[in-house]
Amino acid sequence: MADTTLAGGGAPAGTGAEPAVETRGRFGDFRRAFLGNKLAVFGLSVMVFFALVALFAPVLAPYDPIRDQDLAGKFAGPSAAHLLGQDELGRDILSRLIYGVRISLTAGLAAVSIATVVGAAVGLAAGYAGRWVDAVLMRLMDVILAFPSILLAIVIVTILGRGLTNALLAVGIVYIPQMARVVRSAVISVREREYVEAERALGAGHAQIVSSAILPNSMAPLIVQATLTLAVAVLDIAALSFLGLGATAPTPEWGAMLTSAFRSGFGVFVQGQHAILFPGLVIALSVVSVNFVGDGLRDAFDPRRKR
Amino acid sequence: MTTFIGRKLLQLLPVLLGVSFVVFMMVRAIPGDPAQILLGQQATEERVAQLRVEMGLDQPLLVQYVLFLRDAAVGDLGDSIVTGQPVTAELLGRFPATLELTLTAMLFALAVGIPAGVIAAVKQYSLLDKITSVIALTGISMPIFWLALILAVIFNVNLGLLPFGGRVDVGVLSITGMVIPDSLMTLNFAGLWSGITHLAMPAIALGTIPMAVVTRMTRSSMLEVMNEDYIRTAYAKGVLPLRVVFRHALRNAMLPTVTVIGLQFGILMGGAVITETIFSWNGIGNIALDSIYRRDYAMIQGVVLYGTVFFMLINLAVDILYAVLDPRVRY
């Protein structure tokens, strides 16, 4: 009895305990730091909510996002039948936004996956091999970084042709260098550590060292960077669609919804203000949430960074 | 200092060469034969073949690249396929409009972002700090094409306060090509007012993301600096708190902020394409999108090349400024 009281109220729990407890403790710290961050929890909740909406879109959407047109209801404001009003072709904005979650978030995730996989491979190769491999790869990354990002994405879309797939490819390519840099510096910082030396001494090959020692220890910065990149990717893909270079007309993609409302004439500014308001609000909400989560992850992974 | 600048310039050369090669190859990769596009579909095959020889398109790619570099070095990036005008002249004519917009946007970002970041840092954990942080995080997540439309709805349509589209309503004698300096120089106050009201919405829309980034950066570097020993010393020897914040802390905290300003110019240039399109701003961003729709490859090449070089020069200027502010960087 006395022992428990001492452990609970005195010295910090976990000191001098066996390694298994310590690892759990570290994950506990991470979880506590992340869950203690209100903005991060808010962001995560919104992301989960969006994921569910994307999954159950056909059940949730009251109308068909493309076919249910009603020209008499052009820019009709919010009502009981159409909670968020109707767009320039009288389509239900809520239904289009619900289906749009699928498109925008999938496209964003796909772009980030491209940037992450390619960027991590480049960063790993550069950081692990060093010497001329490092020099060549990182100079190549410098060249990509030298372009203003949207300008580069625009040129890539011009080459590949307009469309959502090409837009997300372009955005993915543009963010490869950031990923490569993050992974490379993480790899360099663990490359010479004792546990890597130990593995090498035990006769592990390059593949094993990379997969068992280097990769796991580069994970934290990679996850943070990937999350923050998801936010800009969603934003950039919506921007490309808004410029008419990404998703095209009937597709209920959020950026494309804004542009088709905007290009339907000046009337949208007078009667159709809700057709401008809601799609942008959803884009902003999703991007803000992802940024909150990214910030929360960064702070939780790095205890020295106090808010 | 001169050696520092010289070294930085030398470091730019390989990147510039890489950039020019990438742009050259990318424009060649765009589907379509430039000679055919220039002459139109009904041109005879002989005429197309002849023009291909004249344009050097029959040469190996590497030779074409060297020829392209030779011309680009003296500012000759060919003629616009649509208007027939030299690309460089067309872009130079539109440059002042874009410069005026981006500089005003950056000014807005700094004028709001630095004070907001300082206040948030000095009053850390206060309600004001929390509000600033949330606004800054929302700001970096802002779809600026949406923000631009919302501003137009509020200030043009609903309140009728600001004009929507164009740069100026009255005649202003063009000296620099920028409305506000020109109307100031000619004491044209009607022009000045018209210029400012036209500039307000696009500049705010474009400046919001950099504003948020500057706020965050200023806040976090101020927090770091405020914990330094020399700040405690300054307080201890009785320096007025305001003086400590602005003279002792802010000067040192500005270093990371200066760095992000350079990077933000890249975002501003991308954002200019969006903002100029929405506000019918007759600048480079506007022509960039038009030339993509019209498949005017010479123009696209020019926009990307000049845009990237401009971006690189801004970052060079930032590096130099950084070295001026922090002499340690030079070694």
Side-chain angles (χ1 to χ4, degrees):
Chain A
M1 184 65 202
D3 271 333
T4 9
T5 329
L6 196 75
T15 12
E18 60 277 354
V21 175
E22 220 211 304
T23 10
R24 204 172 57 203
R26 214 196 291 160
F27 180 69
D29 281 350
F30 169 78
R31 203 177 44 189
R32 211 170 313 126
F34 185 83
L35 294 181
N37 183 337
K38 281 182 209 135
L39 292 180
V41 173
F42 167 78
L44 190 64
S45 319
V46 175
M47 281 172 77
V48 171
F49 172 70
F50 274 136
L52 290 175
V53 168
L55 205 58
F56 296 107
V59 187
L60 293 170
Y63 297 88
D64 184 279
I66 296 172
R67 267 170 294 158
D68 282 341
Q69 298 185 1
D70 161 25
L71 289 177
K74 179 182 177 182
F75 289 139
S79 63
H82 301 277
L83 286 178
L84 299 183
Q86 289 165 277
D87 71 359
E88 70 283 354
L89 294 176
R91 289 168 300 197
D92 182 51
I93 291 179
L94 178 63
S95 306
R96 287 176 65 75
L97 287 178
I98 288 175
Y99 275 95
V101 179
R102 286 187 163 185
I103 298 167
S104 295
L105 293 190
T106 322
L109 282 172
V112 173
S113 310
I114 294 169
T116 308
V117 171
V118 180
V122 172
L124 265 179
Y128 189 74
R131 296 169 194 249
W132 65 270
V133 179
D134 186 24
V136 169
L137 286 176
M138 294 325 281
R139 286 304 80 72
L140 195 67
M141 296 294 110
D142 282 349
V143 170
I144 300 183
L145 271 180
F147 291 96
S149 61
I150 290 224
L151 222 50
L152 182 59
I154 288 177
V155 178
I156 298 176
V157 171
T158 314
I159 298 170
L160 300 176
R162 295 177 217 169
L164 185 61
T165 318
N166 292 338
L168 73 86
L169 259 171
V171 172
I173 294 172
V174 164
Y175 289 105
I176 289 174
Q178 268 101 323
M179 290 295 181
R181 284 192 165 188
V182 167
V183 173
R184 175 180 173 270
S185 61
V187 169
I188 286 178
S189 75
V190 297
R191 193 178 53 188
E192 308 299 337
R193 295 274 172 85
E194 283 86 352
Y195 55 81
V196 177
E197 292 272 304
E199 285 224 13
R200 199 172 289 135
L202 287 170
H206 291 307
Q208 201 191 341
I209 292 176
V210 166
S211 67
S212 74
I214 297 212
L215 212 49
N217 283 294
S218 317
M219 254 359 220
L222 185 64
I223 290 172
V224 171
Q225 188 64 31
T227 315
L228 295 174
T229 304
L230 176 62
V232 271
V234 170
L235 216 46
D236 284 358
I237 292 170
L240 286 176
S241 294
F242 180 80
L243 291 174
L245 302 173
T248 42
T251 319
E253 196 269 351
W254 298 335
M257 287 175 70
L258 269 174
T259 203
S260 46
F262 174 56
R263 293 190 193 283
S264 69
F266 196 75
V268 66
F269 285 106
V270 186
Q271 309 115 25
Q273 297 185 352
H274 59 278
I276 293 176
L277 182 66
F278 295 120
L281 216 51
V282 177
I283 300 175
L285 181 65
S286 63
V287 178
V288 161
S289 308
V290 177
N291 268 327
F292 282 167
V293 172
D295 260 28
L297 285 175
R298 182 172 54 194
D299 292 345
F301 275 128
D302 187 356
R304 280 164 306 168
R305 265 187 78 100
K306 293 221 181 81
R307 297 177 59 84
Chain B
M1 197 66 201
T2 324
T3 33
F4 173 78
I5 296 176
R7 201 171 63 216
K8 282 280 167 195
L9 273 172
L10 276 180
Q11 283 171 358
L12 277 189
L13 274 180
V15 179
L16 189 58
L17 217 58
V19 164
S20 67
F21 185 69
V22 170
V23 173
F24 171 83
M25 288 311 287
M26 285 200 297
V27 173
R28 265 45 183 193
I30 294 173
D33 179 353
Q36 184 80 58
I37 294 170
L38 210 57
L39 292 170
Q41 285 306 322
Q42 58 275 55
T44 60
E45 240 167 75
E46 293 81 41
R47 183 75 195 91
V48 174
Q50 191 190 343
L51 189 68
R52 285 179 60 83
V53 175
E54 282 167 25
M55 292 171 78
L57 293 170
D58 56 333
Q59 302 288 325
L61 265 184
L62 212 60
V63 176
Q64 286 190 42
Y65 174 61
V66 173
L67 291 176
F68 162 76
L69 271 189
R70 186 196 64 191
D71 292 343
V74 293
D76 179 6
L77 288 178
D79 299 338
S80 158
I81 293 172
V82 175
T83 63
Q85 296 295 311
V87 166
T88 304
E90 178 94 47
L91 290 179
L92 272 181
R94 285 165 174 267
F95 180 65
T98 301
L99 189 67
E100 188 170 33
L101 176 61
T102 42
L103 285 183
T104 314
M106 189 46 95
L107 208 66
F108 163 76
L110 297 177
V112 178
I114 293 178
V118 169
I119 293 172
V122 172
K123 303 265 173 214
Q124 197 188 4
Y125 302 125
S126 70
L127 185 66
L128 208 59
D129 177 26
K130 282 180 185 136
I131 294 174
T132 313
S133 295
V134 172
I135 291 179
L137 257 178
T138 317
I140 60 167
S141 313
M142 195 54 81
I144 62 167
F145 45 95
W146 178 62
L147 180 63
L149 295 178
I150 292 294
L151 287 174
V153 164
I154 297 175
F155 292 103
N156 179 268
V157 181
N158 293 0
L159 298 178
L161 285 177
L162 294 172
F164 177 52
R167 294 176 60 200
V168 65
D169 284 334
V170 294
V172 172
L173 180 71
S174 175
I175 302 169
T176 62
M178 290 187 274
V179 174
I180 290 176
D182 284 353
S183 48
L184 273 176
M185 276 189 274
T186 54
L187 298 178
N188 181 347
F189 293 109
L192 181 65
W193 179 245
S194 175
I196 291 175
T197 48
H198 278 86
L199 192 52
M201 287 198 291
I204 291 175
L206 188 55
T208 294
I209 292 183
M211 185 266 283
V213 175
V214 168
T215 306
R216 275 163 67 95
M217 206 64 197
T218 307
R219 176 181 178 274
S220 68
S221 64
M222 271 299 276
L223 282 178
E224 218 158 275
V225 171
M226 292 296 281
N227 286 324
E228 295 282 345
D229 291 341
Y230 59 84
I231 297 296
R232 192 155 7 100
T233 310
Y235 275 121
K237 69 179 188 189
V239 178
L240 288 175
L242 265 183
R243 206 178 148 82
V244 175
V245 170
F246 285 103
R247 285 204 69 108
H248 297 240
L250 184 58
R251 280 192 168 192
N252 289 297
M254 278 307 287
L255 287 172
T257 310
V258 167
T259 321
V260 292
I261 291 173
L263 293 177
Q264 289 308 305
F265 261 98
I267 292 182
L268 281 183
M269 290 164 64
V273 178
I274 296 167
T275 325
E276 289 185 0
T277 305
I278 295 175
F279 290 100
S280 319
W281 196 264
N282 218 357
I284 290 176
N286 210 338
I287 204 176
L289 198 64
D290 279 352
S291 28
I292 286 174
Y293 286 141
R294 296 191 204 135
R295 307 205 147 250
D296 188 346
Y297 302 134
M299 194 59 91
I300 299 173
Q301 178 171 284
V303 169
V304 178
L305 206 58
Y306 280 121
T308 310
V309 169
F310 181 67
F311 183 42
M312 285 166 68
L313 289 178
I314 292 273
N315 278 304
L316 175 71
V318 167
D319 280 350
I320 293 170
L321 185 62
Y322 203 96
V324 171
L325 291 174
D326 185 353
R328 283 171 302 181
V329 175
R330 270 173 266 172
Y331 303 102

